[in-house]
């Protein structure tokens, strides 16, 4: 099957007209029609109902549309990964991390060492799902991932079972916070609230979601909470908290300035706060010399800090 056929199919679905779709795909209408028929013959089913105006999908076509989106996304991601790997030299260390960790712990702990050592870094600050970080490391799309870690993060479990090594770079605390008001936090853990507490949580792609769920399980006797928004990024949860839409859990390092300035407040007691580790993971079999050098330098620097 030609991957271009999938793009033809999506164009036809969007345009609902062979001529307009052919124009969008920059081919003649007869050639475009032959490609759509070739796609149908490849799978042995009719995908397009040609008897309706505008054109519509058959039941098989509806199923195929959803799967074609998955196939195209997988193709594009694979192509991007291969191109990045090919473009990166043997001495380039490819980092992958979340936006919040890039803004905090990467700049504090790793960037100075990289600059001092003259290492060449390809940094990918990304909104990947947690399991994508794992697969990226296992497939050598990146050499190192910088990630939060908590025992509740099941998505990172394959790293412990696989051939991976890690360094605990630093520690943070996952704290529930609210925007400050004239009389204290706008949202708080009340024992008998008049209505459910508005919670700003994380989407399924975020590894931090499992830590929020863990925090809620630890307080089953606490007040009822209503999830009013879910975000993939901690920075987005922070923005929603600062707009006063509810309370949410954030890594302390990410909101320390707002806390120090009094624009945000930690709510709840110590039992509502949960430790996070900031870990660097690598594949033990990755023998890239610059990666080994960085790893040894990081271990040495951390050993010096622990002995102070």
């Amino acid at each position: 099957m030609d991957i271009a056929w999938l793009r033809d199919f999506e164009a036809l679905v969007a345009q609902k007209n062979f001529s307009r779709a052919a124009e969008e795909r920059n081919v003649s209408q007869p050639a475009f029609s032959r490609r759509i028929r070739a796609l149908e013959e490849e799978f042995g089913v009719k995908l397009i109902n040609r008897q309706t105006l505008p054109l519509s999908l058959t039941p098989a076509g509806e199923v195929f549309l959803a799967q074609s989106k998955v196939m195209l996304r997988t193709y594009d991601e694979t192509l991007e990964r291969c191109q990045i790997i090919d473009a990166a030299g043997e001495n380039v260390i490819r980092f992958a991390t979340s936006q919040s960790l890039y803004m905090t712990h990467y700049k504090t702990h790793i960037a100075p060492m990289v600059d001092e050592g003259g290492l060449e870094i390809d940094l990918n600050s990304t909104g990947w799902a947690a399991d994508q970080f794992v697969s990226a490391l296992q497939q050598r799309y990146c050499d190192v991932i910088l990630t939060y870690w908590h025992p509740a993060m099941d998505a990172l479990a394959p790293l412990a079972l696989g051939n991976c090594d890690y360094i605990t770079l630093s520690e943070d605390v996952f704290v529930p916070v609210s925007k400050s008001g004239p009389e204290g936090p706008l949202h708080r853990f009340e024992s008998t609230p008049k209505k459910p507490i508005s919670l700003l949580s994380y989407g399924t792609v975020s590894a931090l979601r499992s830590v929020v769920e863990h925090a809620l399980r630890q307080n089953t006797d606490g007040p009822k909470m209503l999830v009013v928004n879910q975000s993939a990024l901690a920075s987005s949860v922070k923005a929603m908290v600062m707009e006063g839409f509810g309370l949410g859990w954030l890594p302390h390092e990410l909101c320390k300035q707002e806390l120090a300035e009094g624009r945000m407040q930690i709510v709840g007691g110590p039992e509502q706060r949960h430790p996070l580790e900031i870990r660097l993971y690598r594949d033990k079999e990755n023998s890239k010399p610059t990666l080994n050098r960085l790893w040894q330098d990081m271990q040495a620097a951390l050993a010096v800090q622990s002995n102070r």
Side-chain angles (χ1 to χ4, degrees):
M1 182 186 68
D2 190 333
I3 198 70
W5 295 351
L6 298 181
R7 303 196 191 280
D8 292 339
F9 179 71
E10 289 200 336
L12 183 57
V13 171
Q15 297 293 340
K16 296 181 174 60
N17 180 279
F18 274 92
S19 295
R20 290 197 298 268
E23 184 177 351
E24 178 184 322
R25 294 290 292 149
N26 198 30
V27 296
S28 68
Q29 194 271 330
F32 183 84
S33 296
R34 287 195 297 271
R35 280 155 58 159
I36 293 298
R37 288 199 179 277
L39 180 63
E40 291 177 315
E41 291 171 2
E42 176 81 13
F43 286 88
V45 295
K46 290 293 183 183
L47 302 174
I48 305 296
N49 185 347
R50 295 166 173 80
Q51 307 306 314
T52 62
L53 287 176
L55 296 174
S56 61
L57 293 176
T58 65
E62 295 284 358
V63 173
F64 185 80
L65 176 62
Q67 293 304 310
S68 70
K69 292 180 182 297
V70 174
M71 287 187 281
L72 281 171
R73 184 169 64 249
T74 301
Y75 173 83
D76 290 339
E77 289 177 354
T78 302
L79 180 62
E80 179 189 4
R81 291 183 180 190
C82 290
Q83 289 174 339
I84 290 175
I85 290 172
D86 185 62
E90 181 61 25
N91 293 324
V92 176
I93 303 173
R94 293 161 293 160
F95 260 87
T97 189
S98 65
Q99 185 185 78
S100 58
L101 280 169
Y102 171 66
M103 294 168 61
T104 55
H105 296 273
Y106 178 86
K107 287 189 173 181
T108 303
H109 295 89
I110 299 175
M113 185 169 293
V114 168
D115 293 340
E116 181 180 339
L119 297 173
E120 191 172 352
I121 296 292
D122 174 17
L123 179 61
N124 188 0
S125 177
T126 178
W128 290 342
D131 58 349
Q132 288 180 293
F133 279 98
V134 174
S135 62
L137 186 65
Q138 293 173 332
Q139 296 170 20
R140 299 285 179 88
Y141 176 42
C142 61
D143 300 307
V144 181
I145 59 173
L146 174 64
T147 179
Y148 293 110
W149 182 87
H150 183 276
M153 290 182 175
D154 295 335
L156 299 181
L159 294 175
L161 300 175
N163 193 35
C164 294
D165 192 12
Y166 74 88
I167 293 173
T168 299
L169 182 68
S170 182
E171 294 180 350
D172 208 331
V173 183
F174 205 43
V175 294
V177 294
S178 168
K179 181 179 180 180
S180 299
E183 299 179 359
L186 296 182
H187 304 271
R188 63 183 78 203
F189 289 103
E190 299 180 49
S191 56
T192 55
K194 297 179 181 178
K195 60 180 181 179
I197 298 171
S198 297
L199 175 64
L200 302 167
S201 191
Y202 295 83
T204 55
V205 301
S206 174
L208 291 173
R209 177 184 175 125
S210 59
V211 190
V212 172
E213 292 174 343
H214 169 79
L216 296 177
R217 287 195 300 269
Q218 304 308 303
N219 295 275
T220 54
D221 297 330
K224 186 174 295 185
M225 308 193 77
L226 174 66
V227 177
V228 296
N229 189 73
Q230 295 180 343
S231 301
L233 303 175
S235 56
S236 299
V237 173
K238 176 183 173 181
M240 294 291 285
V241 169
M242 288 305 300
E243 289 296 325
F245 288 109
L247 68 82
W249 269 270
L250 292 172
H252 185 274
E253 192 70 17
L254 186 63
C255 57
K256 65 180 183 180
Q257 182 174 345
E258 290 78 8
L259 291 170
E261 294 172 352
R263 294 186 288 131
M264 187 183 286
Q265 290 178 256
I266 297 177
V267 295
E271 71 279 1
Q272 305 284 0
R273 306 167 195 176
H274 299 271
L276 293 174
E277 288 186 22
I278 290 78
R279 289 184 174 183
L280 288 172
Y281 280 93
R282 68 165 182 175
D283 187 329
K284 292 179 182 177
E285 295 182 356
N286 190 335
S287 58
K288 186 176 289 188
T290 48
L291 174 59
N292 290 331
R293 175 183 157 198
L294 173 65
W295 207 257
Q296 292 169 4
D297 289 347
M298 292 297 305
Q299 289 176 321
L302 292 170
V304 170
Q305 291 178 15
S306 64
N307 292 328
R308 286 178 180 173

